[in-house]
Amino acid sequence: MRFSEGVGRQVISTKDARVLGTVRRFMVEASAGRVVAIQIQGRAGADLIDWQHVSNFGADAVMVSAAELLRGPTSPWEERYVRGEFDLRGNLVLTDDGEAIGRLADVDFDESDGRLRALVLDQGERPVDRLIAVGPYAVIVPA
Amino acid sequence: MRLTLRATDLDGRPVVTLDTATEAGKIADVVIDPANGDVVGFRLRSQGILGLADPGSLPLDTVRAVGSDAVMITAKTGLVREGSMQSGLGAARDIRGDRVINEDGTVTGHVTDVILAVDGATVDVIGYEIEQPDRTRALIAMPDTFVISQDALLVSNSIELLPPDDLEAVARASASQRSADAA
């Protein structure tokens, strides 16, 4: 699934069947090469849910265990991430040997486990199993 | 990734950290040890209002890769104060403008740019762009070791003047001179 398909999907609590909001942004941990949290639109402050609390990323809704598991950012990096400073889409993609390979249009990931599968660039796709870093200047990938 | 380029081509190239994917500055110029002609690192462009803040310098041993679009470093802590990198070099100065003189004592020209061979984190000076007395430009390839002083760069009488746009010819000539030196 692509990030663009997941954004906007409703997030529903399995505990009480309430809609908590919609998917706003995926938080990626570079070295693990996976989605580690989802930021939810419509929640002020505590708007992150860690991936392990996502019981199913379904075709129509994202099921999470309970609203109480929502949390706020816990590091300066996370604070900047939820503000959109490192937004993956549109960011420059750079190899670790200093070559620009394009702009990031979208990210393909496995919604069953959160693993990244490929970066969708403005020209073609690049399979990835991990990233070097995600930052304000670029997304850095292994050469 | 192997690249052959002019030192001035690096002007403005971003320096990006591998830990946080942040731009730590932009390259201003290459710093060369006048004692042996080796690259010791890079000066960064000054930034900020009036350029007053020390933009720092980048010693070559902190560079992980010089790429076609960015110079990669591990972390921003790799930058050093602008003066500290040059302090061990004695009279660090711009090599551009230096006279190029052959063994007969004839001036071949003066240096207008430095030709670099880059392979990942390895940066070698392999030649120079010179302006000849008749104002035409040419490239010269340099062997691994050569004589350079604060007064002049000494070249052989038989040095070949290469077309000013043919950087790959410099790379080939330098490689063959170095393999001949090694043999």
Side-chain angles (χ1 to χ4, degrees), chain A:
Chain A
M1 176 187 284
R2 293 191 172 185
F3 280 3
S4 60
E5 298 172 63
V7 168
R9 200 162 292 194
Q10 282 193 330
V11 180
I12 297 177
S13 160
T14 55
K15 189 178 165 193
D16 54 13
R18 284 177 50 202
V19 174
L20 304 178
T22 56
V23 175
R24 179 177 189 181
R25 189 177 278 130
F26 294 91
M27 183 180 280
V28 168
E29 186 179 301
S31 57
R34 57 196 307 273
V35 175
V36 290
I38 293 172
Q39 186 182 6
I40 299 174
Q41 180 94 40
R43 307 291 298 196
D47 59 354
L48 289 173
I49 182 99
D50 288 320
W51 183 266
Q52 68 261 32
H53 302 311
V54 174
S55 53
N56 197 28
F57 204 105
D60 299 304
V62 180
M63 308 308 288
V64 303
S65 319
E68 295 78 61
L69 295 167
L70 287 168
R71 64 177 180 87
T74 55
S75 69
W77 184 86
E78 284 195 352
E79 280 168 23
R80 296 178 69 186
Y81 202 103
V82 299
R83 283 202 299 268
E85 288 186 32
F86 310 147
D87 254 4
L88 298 172
R89 290 168 68 188
N91 210 342
L92 178 70
V93 181
L94 204 57
T95 65
D96 59 354
D97 62 7
E99 187 186 359
I101 54 175
R103 292 267 163 197
L104 193 59
D106 213 333
V107 177
D108 189 43
F109 78 112
D110 184 338
E111 68 268 30
S112 69
D113 60 7
R115 298 204 73 80
L116 303 187
R117 283 198 293 238
L119 301 184
V120 183
L121 305 174
D122 40 14
Q123 292 178 334
E125 285 195 17
R126 184 182 178 97
V128 286
D129 54 11
R130 70 186 175 97
L131 306 173
I132 307 284
V134 174
Y137 185 81
V139 175
I140 304 177
V141 299

Side-chain angles (χ1 to χ4, degrees), chain B:
Chain B
M1 187 165 43
R2 294 186 61 86
L3 302 169
T4 306
L5 41 78
R6 286 175 162 80
T8 49
D9 292 338
L10 292 171
D11 183 14
R13 195 158 297 187
V15 177
V16 179
T17 64
L18 287 163
D19 62 343
T20 60
T22 304
E23 183 179 333
K26 290 185 191 298
I27 299 288
D29 205 355
V30 62
V31 179
I32 291 171
D33 185 344
N36 54 18
D38 286 346
V39 174
V40 290
F42 303 96
R43 278 191 315 108
L44 299 188
R45 280 188 185 175
S46 54
Q47 292 168 312
I49 299 163
L50 303 176
L52 286 177
D54 180 353
S57 291
L58 196 56
L60 190 60
D61 59 9
T62 66
V63 171
R64 294 274 298 274
V66 176
S68 51
D69 301 290
V71 174
M72 310 304 288
I73 63 173
T74 304
K76 206 167 181 175
T77 51
L79 300 183
V80 300
R81 287 174 52 85
E82 186 167 12
S84 62
M85 188 172 75
Q86 285 94 330
S87 63
L89 302 181
R93 70 210 154 77
D94 197 338
I95 214 154
R96 282 182 282 264
D98 277 14
R99 280 185 305 169
V100 179
I101 196 160
N102 69 21
E103 289 157 336
D104 280 347
T106 308
V107 171
T108 309
H110 64 268
V111 175
T112 49
D113 211 338
V114 179
I115 311 301
L116 303 172
V118 170
D119 188 6
T122 306
V123 183
D124 282 323
V125 175
I126 58 166
Y128 293 92
E129 182 193 72
I130 64 169
E131 186 176 284
Q132 301 171 86
D134 67 0
R135 302 222 154 228
T136 59
R137 301 222 167 175
L139 303 180
I140 55 175
M142 300 303 288
D144 196 20
T145 55
F146 49 91
V147 181
I148 183 171
S149 79
Q150 58 186 7
D151 301 314
L153 175 71
L154 197 61
V155 297
S156 123
N157 288 340
S158 58
I159 194 155
E160 190 179 1
L161 296 173
L162 301 164
D165 54 357
D166 197 353
L167 293 177
E168 289 311 315
V170 179
R172 285 192 301 272
S174 171
S176 69
Q177 286 175 19
R178 284 172 196 212
S179 60
D181 285 351

